[in-house]
Amino acid sequence: MDPELKERINEAARIAEEFTKIYYDHIDKKKSTQRLYLDSALVVFNGNGVSGVEQIAKFHQELPSTEHTLTTLDAQPILDSAAGKSYLIQASGTVKYNNEKSQAFQQSFLITAHEQKWKIVTDTMRLQNSIYG
Amino acid sequence: MERSNKYRRFNYSQSVYDEVDESRFQRIQFLSGHSDIVLDRQDFQLCGPNNLNYDKQLLLSPENWHQIIINHHGKLTKTQILSALNKITNDAKFIPVKYQAGKFQDNFFIINQFQAMELLFENCLTFKVDNYSYDLTVKLAVSHAHNRQINPTHQINIAITRYINQMRDQKLDLSNFSQQSKELMELEFSLSNEFNFEIFCKQIVEQLKEEEKIITMLVLSNNGIQYLRPLKHFANHPTLITISLRKNLISSISEFKYLQPLQLKHLSIASNPFVTGDFTIINEQIMVMLPTIEHTDLKVTHQYNIENPSNVVEEIIRSTDIDDKFKAEFPKREFVKTYWNKVVIEHNKKFDGQKVLDEMFWKFFEDDLFYPCYYVSGLTEDSFMLYMNFDPLNILIQNNLQMIFEENKQILKFRLHLKCGLFKHDQVKWNELIPKVINNRITASTLNLRNFKNDPELKDIVVNLSTNKGINYVLTCALNQKPDIIEIDLSQNNLEKTSDLGILKQFSKLVSLNLSENQIETLKDFPQNLQIYEIKMEQNPICDKFMSKQHYSAMFYVKTFKNLCPKLQFIDGKKIDKTLNIVHLQNHLVTPKAYMTVLGFIEFFFKNFESREKRELLTALYSKDSILSVNDDRNKKQIFGGQVKISDHYASLPEYEHDFVNFTVDSPLFCPKIERNSILKFCVPKFLVTVTGVFREKENKEKFFAFSRTFFLEKDRNGTGRATGTLSNTFYFEISNEIFNYEIVRDEKIKNKAFKNQQATDGEIESKFINDTVAERFEENLELLKQTILMKPEWCKRFLEEANGDFWTAVNYFNEFFERDLLRNEDFLFYDEIKNNKEATSNSRN
């Protein structure tokens, strides 16, 4: 692979790791997720859309207690130069709600650098068995 | 700005283009299947009010498309613009093609209508609305015409032919012709233009003759018709004896003189501007002009015959007759059950009858059973009869026979006619009729009170379930007749308060409750602990509250109802998830505009990805900058950079099958155009889509893989249109990023369900829409359409019915209506949310 691309992908992987660590820590410990999102961010949770940073934070507070474990994590840089630094991240793993049986989930994020911080633009989550819900 | 209220398009995530965006006009596409108009001519001639010299050759040639741009500065509606232009071109054929509305400019195309064009030039390419003048910009000969393109006159002829072939009982119904005809979807054909109306009438008469068909009745209501001269063509069709011209714009009664050559017997003319004043005079004038006319629709009908024996004198009470003594004595009167009492509402055209009734219900008669009978609307007065309802009479007297409307301080006066007629047994008796109708509405264990107030049997009674007494009376009747009802449907009844529903607790077997399509705004005092399993609340203002930006959370919605009714398992037809209390939705698209693009892409991509042979078609979707990463369940990661490597990798893979029926598709970001104010400042338009689902290898059908595949697509920078097929009618996109995760399915539930719906349909995405019966399929498509275009169900139903139940055609119709600005914001499900967004945007701009 082109060494420049390889370097960019490695950088994306580092950022994705840092980012997801913070993200799932906030979710699992029920910290307010407000500062993780852009003002106009959109969360799509099993097909249910929630937009706006305050509503998203409220939404996460309403969720039952969670415990996420990641099995795969992947990230790519968005090459559009005008977009600033932006990354596409896809994570998958298992999640336990209210300490019940764990379920497989998939989640993808679009994050961007905003005032020197990583902010989520879109956050799309699906439980694997919800496909056949 | 009135325009922004009425005609703003549904801009959920994208704004309307601010000025004429040249690239947007490169190709004008037609959903009707006609060839695009390609704006490839650089030698067009630009004209405007300051440059009125035009090349006559260009103008006259039938081979040229001309583009007309209307500079309305956001101050005019499309209707205003078209009505002004139709006025100018009244003496010529004028059929704009592909009208597109913009914030400051609208535009459309014209072909082969040089007389109309000359008239526009004669008016110096300006037009006036309300004494303000607006400019037109004309681009003459922007494109060469060819014969696979739309031909306006031809489309009109096809539409007329279809109506003639479909007509029954010699009745040709052309009401709202231009809006109702699918052939005219991409045209603006207005019958308010006299010349257009002329061609139209001529064509109908000719085709009738050709097809050897005769008509006795012609319905032309709701067509904006102003002039009647063109109807003289029907003189050649002597069987025609009835014409309906209701709801048009005829402003002078003298227009009817043009109908003299016809031998009409019946004429419907209500709801036209000239119909004011005394109906008798109008009827007389018409009949003098047209001696053959037997009657018109302007008449006061007496459906009932209430009269007194000669020895009984009715007592008339006016508000001026009432003093304190009268008020004190009135309740002591003894009323005789055998008489009708009449209430007259002296509205003098200032109040709408329906509004008066609504106000009366909630203001005066909240605590009383009140059933007005034989409601009659008149020009200056409405009236209704009361039988056995004495308390309402007293309430009116105690209020001095007056009602004051808060908002405009207008005073509405009433007049009472006591003992105005003897009750006869063949007249309507509400206290017997209502229980009888309820009995008809009970089948097995179901009580269906949907749209109860409009039951045909209750046509002589005004029934209202939105008052406490009203709903309680009806439900008590039902309870007395059948206490073990399982299912109650109260939809479409204007219910406002759930506090009135306490009586539902007495239905001990009740399992399912339908409250949809009502006016419920609050759940305050919702009956506690109803033991129901299912509730339907769709299309109530309360849903908008949950959906509005401040509160929107599906989970909150579900939780609220689950708290009220602990046994609840279904809400709005969707199952509540056990662990999360959340309803899973199959697809989430940030804007309905994304639908065709996203689904088009998915169909193209996954169908071709399955087979080795076709997979190379996908190569065109990648560029040298594309990145693909693949993560399998053994946590092995592979990264491929650039078209060649990606295509090589694909070539090495076996054949697959996907369970298309159970794909979930989320598209949280869709920017088909570059926007200055968007979240991310992209160089090229993009959209993001994540697909989750299940696939298997063709050679090993027992092993299922769950996958999640995220694509970031951007507009093809080269613009060479490498993505063909389904993508060609949307945008030319290429994949810039793709992340593909998959793992073996271990969940037994998924194993049991995957590919179960697949056998019959062999992996087609369309299989999602194929079902056992037509009705089921219709319902399913309707549900899907609701989720897809996010419009209120009555619209979804309309599109789907128009499309004969075909989902894709319905989506096409929707897109077409959407493009043409025919949809009002309030027709969408998330109207309030959009409104808030819009306010937020305009605030931030200020």
Side-chain angles (χ1 to χ4, degrees):
Chain A
M1 202 193 318
D2 161 17
E4 197 206 346
L5 178 65
K6 194 168 183 178
E7 177 44 42
R8 297 181 73 159
I9 284 173
N10 287 340
E11 192 192 349
R14 276 197 304 279
I15 287 162
E17 210 152 303
E18 281 168 34
F19 163 77
T20 46
K21 214 174 143 193
I22 295 170
Y23 175 85
Y24 290 109
D25 185 61
H26 273 72
I27 298 280
D28 288 347
K29 294 191 176 149
K30 287 261 177 231
K31 296 180 189 169
S32 169
T33 53
Q34 194 154 346
R35 59 184 199 86
L36 299 180
Y37 290 89
L38 272 188
D39 284 348
S40 50
L42 174 69
V43 166
V44 181
F45 188 88
N46 279 327
N48 297 284
V50 186
S51 66
V53 40
E54 276 160 37
Q55 289 66 248
I56 291 169
K58 186 163 179 283
F59 176 83
H60 283 135
Q61 288 305 315
E62 298 263 340
L63 278 178
S65 74
T66 55
E67 201 184 318
H68 288 85
T69 314
L70 290 194
T71 49
T72 60
L73 180 64
D74 200 352
Q76 291 181 4
I78 303 295
L79 291 180
D80 192 315
S81 58
K85 280 212 160 174
S86 299
Y87 293 96
L88 193 61
I89 298 173
Q90 183 163 299
S92 60
T94 56
V95 56
K96 281 183 178 181
Y97 290 105
N98 287 333
N99 283 322
E100 286 171 17
K101 202 175 130 237
S102 64
Q103 316 180 45
F105 78 96
Q106 310 269 16
Q107 194 159 12
S108 38
F109 303 92
L110 179 64
I111 64 167
T112 190
H114 181 75
E115 289 161 2
Q116 272 95 54
K117 288 200 178 77
W118 294 111
K119 297 272 186 187
I120 305 171
V121 187
T122 67
D123 165 357
T124 312
M125 212 292 295
R126 284 282 177 183
L127 287 175
Q128 202 179 83
N129 66 18
S130 85
I131 305 172
Y132 293 93
Chain B
M1 263 182 3
E2 63 181 317
R3 185 182 176 84
S4 63
N5 291 337
K6 279 200 231 152
Y7 285 84
R8 201 66 280 135
R9 54 177 77 201
F10 176 65
N11 52 353
Y12 200 141
S13 71
Q14 68 222 74
S15 65
V16 186
Y17 55 98
D18 285 350
E19 48 276 318
V20 178
D21 170 4
E22 292 297 332
S23 67
R24 189 188 165 92
F25 296 130
Q26 289 305 305
R27 258 169 195 281
I28 308 300
Q29 295 172 343
F30 287 84
L31 289 156
S32 51
H34 291 97
S35 293
D36 300 349
I37 300 177
V38 186
L39 305 190
D40 49 358
R41 279 183 65 164
Q42 302 302 318
D43 56 344
F44 64 81
Q45 191 189 2
L46 192 67
C47 297
N50 302 323
N51 176 20
L52 291 166
N53 294 321
Y54 57 87
D55 179 344
K56 200 149 187 174
Q57 278 320 104
L58 285 182
L59 189 87
L60 291 180
S61 162
E63 310 276 289
N64 286 331
W65 285 101
H66 313 300
Q67 187 180 21
I68 311 232
I69 297 159
I70 304 107
N71 304 299
H72 55 67
H73 314 295
K75 288 181 184 138
L76 297 177
T77 62
K78 178 176 167 187
T79 322
Q80 284 175 312
I81 293 168
L82 285 173
S83 125
L85 295 182
N86 269 310
K87 210 178 265 175
I88 295 175
T89 57
N90 194 44
D91 297 328
K93 181 166 78 175
F94 180 61
I95 312 168
V97 174
K98 204 74 191 177
Y99 192 101
Q100 303 188 75
K103 208 167 180 178
F104 302 115
Q105 295 178 323
D106 291 5
N107 76 91
F108 59 80
F109 294 83
I110 281 274
I111 188 163
N112 204 4
Q113 293 161 31
F114 56 88
Q115 279 161 336
M117 291 294 287
E118 282 183 330
L119 286 167
L120 292 177
F121 273 97
E122 270 172 33
N123 263 275
C124 303
L125 296 182
T126 56
F127 64 98
K128 276 191 177 174
V129 176
D130 297 337
N131 287 326
Y132 286 96
S133 185
Y134 299 88
D135 294 350
L136 300 173
T137 308
V138 172
K139 291 181 179 175
L140 285 178
V142 279
S143 175
H144 267 303
H146 62 79
N147 59 10
R148 284 189 312 281
Q149 285 172 332
I150 196 160
N151 176 338
T153 320
H154 187 56
Q155 291 300 106
I156 289 155
N157 294 349
I158 301 175
I160 292 173
T161 312
R162 181 169 59 83
Y163 280 107
I164 289 180
N165 288 331
Q166 287 173 355
M167 76 172 177
R168 277 189 217 147
D169 307 329
Q170 306 182 339
K171 172 184 168 185
L172 186 57
D173 186 350
L174 299 170
S175 46
N176 203 2
F177 177 72
S178 55
Q179 299 297 320
Q180 290 295 323
S181 316
K182 57 175 186 277
E183 294 86 353
L184 308 183
M185 268 198 332
E186 287 159 312
L187 306 176
E188 305 299 332
F189 180 66
S190 167
L191 296 182
S192 68
N193 175 315
E194 191 178 350
F195 199 90
N196 283 358
F197 191 30
E198 176 100 25
I199 320 174
F200 176 79
C201 290
K202 246 170 136 171
Q203 187 63 32
I204 295 170
V205 175
E206 272 171 29
Q207 287 202 18
L208 285 170
K209 202 175 166 190
E210 228 166 80
E211 307 263 333
E212 295 182 344
K213 286 194 173 158
I214 55 165
I215 56 171
T216 54
M217 182 173 180
L218 177 65
V219 182
L220 289 171
S221 47
N222 208 357
N223 273 313
I225 295 169
Q226 301 183 45
Y227 309 105
L228 299 182
R229 195 169 44 184
L231 284 172
K232 67 180 191 295
H233 289 285
F234 285 94
N236 300 329
H237 198 89
T239 50
L240 180 64
I241 52 165
T242 308
I243 293 188
S244 171
L245 288 163
R246 282 187 188 200
K247 276 188 156 180
N248 279 300
L249 298 173
I250 306 163
S251 55
S252 161
I253 194 165
S254 61
E255 284 296 317
F256 287 90
K257 66 174 183 274
Y258 295 113
L259 303 185
Q260 273 162 2
L262 285 71
Q263 303 291 308
L264 296 180
K265 286 186 180 165
H266 318 287
L267 198 55
S268 297
I269 51 178
S271 301
N272 274 292
F274 81 91
V275 182
T276 53
D278 194 336
F279 287 180
T280 350
I281 299 175
I282 297 176
N283 282 339
E284 268 172 28
Q285 286 176 328
I286 295 251
M287 287 180 192
V288 168
M289 240 185 297
L290 308 170
T292 51
I293 291 286
E294 284 166 10
H295 61 258
T296 76
D297 59 335
L298 301 181
K299 59 191 167 195
V300 186
T301 47
H302 293 283
Q303 299 157 314
Y304 58 96
N305 184 17
I306 288 176
E307 55 188 16
N308 266 339
S310 54
N311 59 341
V312 180
V313 183
E314 69 174 25
E315 180 190 355
I316 299 179
I317 308 169
R318 296 187 166 77
S319 60
T320 44
D321 301 333
I322 298 174
D323 52 25
D324 288 346
K325 192 173 155 228
F326 192 95
K327 277 204 233 176
E329 284 175 2
F330 191 81
K332 294 172 199 154
R333 288 194 185 198
E334 280 193 19
F335 286 93
V336 190
K337 273 191 180 178
T338 47
Y339 286 100
W340 285 102
N341 297 308
K342 179 153 87 170
V343 178
V344 179
I345 306 160
E346 301 173 332
H347 57 69
N348 286 315
K349 289 196 279 191
K350 283 184 192 137
F351 302 93
D352 174 63
Q354 187 59 46
K355 191 177 172 209
V356 171
L357 272 185
D358 287 350
E359 296 262 334
M360 281 168 75
F361 271 115
W362 63 258
K363 194 165 177 181
F364 284 173
F365 306 117
E366 173 62 22
D367 298 325
D368 292 281
L369 265 186
F370 173 54
Y371 288 110
C373 301
Y374 299 120
Y375 193 97
V376 175
S377 298
L379 212 53
T380 57
E381 305 183 332
D382 285 13
S383 68
F384 58 83
M385 296 291 173
L386 286 177
Y387 170 67
M388 283 180 34
N389 277 162
F390 307 120
D391 293 340
L393 295 177
N394 185 35
I395 292 171
L396 283 172
I397 293 285
Q398 299 308 322
N399 280 284
N400 301 315
L401 289 177
Q402 287 181 351
M403 194 158 109
I404 299 165
F405 281 83
E406 305 271 326
E407 69 232 56
N408 49 12
K409 300 285 173 223
Q410 297 247 41
I411 296 174
L412 178 66
K413 290 188 176 171
F414 298 91
R415 193 172 76 232
L416 298 185
H417 295 230
L418 301 182
K419 282 198 196 174
C420 70
L422 194 63
F423 180 82
K424 290 185 217 132
H425 284 284
D426 55 345
Q427 287 167 346
V428 62
K429 206 171 181 185
W430 60 265
N431 51 344
E432 288 174 10
L433 188 59
I434 292 175
K436 187 182 144 231
V437 175
I438 290 171
N439 191 268
N440 294 343
R441 296 283 198 127
I442 299 176
T443 43
S445 300
T446 303
L447 171 63
N448 177 4
L449 292 175
R450 181 175 175 85
N451 200 3
F452 186 66
K453 60 184 185 303
N454 291 328
D455 191 295
E457 284 215 54
L458 298 174
K459 67 178 183 343
D460 292 328
I461 310 179
V462 181
V463 181
N464 188 325
L465 298 190
S466 73
T467 62
N468 186 312
K469 278 273 159 67
I471 181 84
N472 273 290
Y473 178 71
V474 167
L475 287 177
T476 311
C477 284
L479 192 64
N480 290 338
Q481 294 179 19
K482 195 162 175 60
D484 55 348
I485 284 169
I486 290 177
E487 196 180 332
I488 297 183
D489 183 348
L490 284 168
S491 57
Q492 285 191 1
N493 277 309
N494 293 340
L495 303 183
E496 288 171 12
K497 300 188 297 297
T498 48
S499 55
D500 295 336
L501 298 174
I503 188 172
L504 288 175
K505 281 201 274 186
Q506 297 183 37
F507 290 88
S508 55
K509 297 271 167 60
L510 186 66
V511 163
S512 167
L513 178 62
N514 186 349
L515 294 172
S516 55
E517 298 173 67
N518 279 303
Q519 299 298 327
I520 297 168
E521 282 193 47
T522 162
L523 296 174
K524 196 167 160 275
D525 297 325
F526 189 92
Q528 289 287 310
N529 285 325
L530 272 186
Q531 301 295 307
I532 51 174
Y533 285 77
E534 176 175 27
I535 194 165
K536 285 189 178 150
M537 272 306 245
E538 289 165 293
Q539 291 196 69
N540 275 291
I542 182 121
C543 304
D544 294 346
K545 280 191 183 168
F546 279 103
M547 296 296 174
S548 74
K549 215 174 154 104
Q550 285 74 30
H551 305 100
Y552 178 32
S553 154
M555 179 162 52
F556 186 52
Y557 179 70
V558 176
K559 268 191 176 167
T560 303
F561 284 100
K562 188 91 179 165
N563 282 338
L564 291 169
C565 318
K567 289 196 177 167
L568 211 59
Q569 286 182 12
F570 288 89
I571 186 162
D572 295 339
K574 299 194 186 80
K575 194 161 170 40
I576 298 173
D577 182 281
K578 276 180 196 141
T579 50
L580 276 172
N581 298 340
I582 277 214
V583 186
H584 299 304
L585 300 173
Q586 184 145 31
N587 299 326
H588 184 96
L589 305 175
V590 71
T591 153
K593 286 279 268 188
Y595 192 82
M596 290 304 271
T597 314
V598 170
L599 270 278
F601 163 72
I602 290 168
E603 188 178 338
F604 181 76
F605 186 91
F606 284 94
K607 266 185 176 173
N608 291 321
F609 184 75
E610 285 193 335
S611 109
R612 272 190 129 144
E613 194 185 329
K614 288 187 185 159
R615 205 173 286 150
E616 63 188 59
L617 286 173
L618 299 178
T619 310
L621 293 176
Y622 298 89
S623 75
K624 65 173 177 37
D625 297 322
S626 304
I627 311 171
L628 162 71
S629 49
V630 183
N631 303 277
D632 67 15
D633 60 332
R634 291 181 298 276
N635 232 336
K636 196 174 121 204
K637 180 187 285 192
Q638 288 173 286
I639 297 175
F640 307 93
Q643 192 184 28
V644 179
K645 292 209 172 105
I646 292 170
S647 143
D648 287 350
H649 170 66
Y650 280 170
S652 72
L653 298 174
E655 303 229 307
Y656 298 110
E657 285 176 359
H658 291 83
D659 186 3
F660 287 110
V661 182
N662 290 298
F663 265 21
T664 61
V665 178
D666 294 314
S667 177
L669 184 99
F670 185 77
C671 317
K673 293 191 293 287
I674 292 301
E675 288 168 51
R676 265 163 264 141
N677 303 323
S678 71
I679 310 165
L680 289 176
K681 308 264 184 291
F682 294 127
C683 276
V684 278
K686 303 221 187 235
F687 69 91
L688 180 60
V689 53
T690 300
V691 183
T692 46
V694 171
F695 71 91
R696 62 183 173 194
E697 287 179 19
K698 219 170 184 174
E699 300 303 317
N700 183 1
K701 295 196 179 189
E702 298 310 306
K703 198 164 144 193
F704 299 148
F705 297 93
F707 76 93
S708 173
R709 207 158 174 166
T710 299
F711 301 91
F712 206 37
L713 292 106
E714 62 180 35
K715 197 171 184 181
D716 182 352
R717 287 168 207 250
N718 306 321
T720 49
R722 280 177 296 160
T724 51
T726 46
L727 286 176
S728 66
N729 55 18
T730 54
F731 302 94
Y732 301 118
F733 275 96
E734 61 185 26
I735 300 168
S736 61
N737 299 74
E738 178 183 349
I739 303 180
F740 180 25
N741 290 0
Y742 65 91
E743 62 182 44
I744 290 181
V745 174
R746 294 189 180 85
D747 191 316
E748 289 301 322
K749 189 177 133 204
I750 300 177
K751 277 188 199 166
N752 291 334
K753 289 192 178 174
F755 290 96
K756 283 294 178 294
N757 297 323
Q758 208 70 12
Q759 286 120 352
T761 55
D762 208 21
E764 294 284 314
I765 282 193
E766 288 90 331
S767 66
K768 200 182 259 181
F769 316 121
I770 293 171
N771 216 306
D772 294 336
T773 69
V774 177
E776 258 179 48
R777 189 175 150 202
F778 188 88
E779 284 306 310
E780 206 154 280
N781 284 351
L782 187 63
E783 200 47 49
L784 195 74
L785 197 64
K786 277 189 214 164
Q787 288 184 27
T788 307
I789 66 178
L790 300 177
M791 287 199 70
K792 293 187 173 160
E794 60 269 27
W795 274 93
C796 298
K797 212 168 158 204
R798 211 179 128 187
F799 286 129
L800 202 57
E801 279 170 355
E802 188 63 27
N804 287 327
D806 182 74
F807 178 77
W808 288 96
T809 316
V811 172
N812 266 331
Y813 285 148
F814 162 74
N815 278 339
E816 185 51 35
F817 270 64
F818 187 77
E819 286 292 333
R820 299 210 315 167
D821 261 358
L822 294 175
L823 305 173
R824 295 167 307 161
N825 283 342
E826 52 266 41
D827 298 330
F828 286 88
L829 288 175
F830 302 115
Y831 171 56
D832 286 343
E833 191 177 346
I834 299 152
K835 210 165 75 181
N836 292 337
N837 276 344
K838 207 189 291 166
E839 277 159 18
T841 336
S842 69
N843 288 343
S844 68
R845 265 191 212 133
N846 297 339

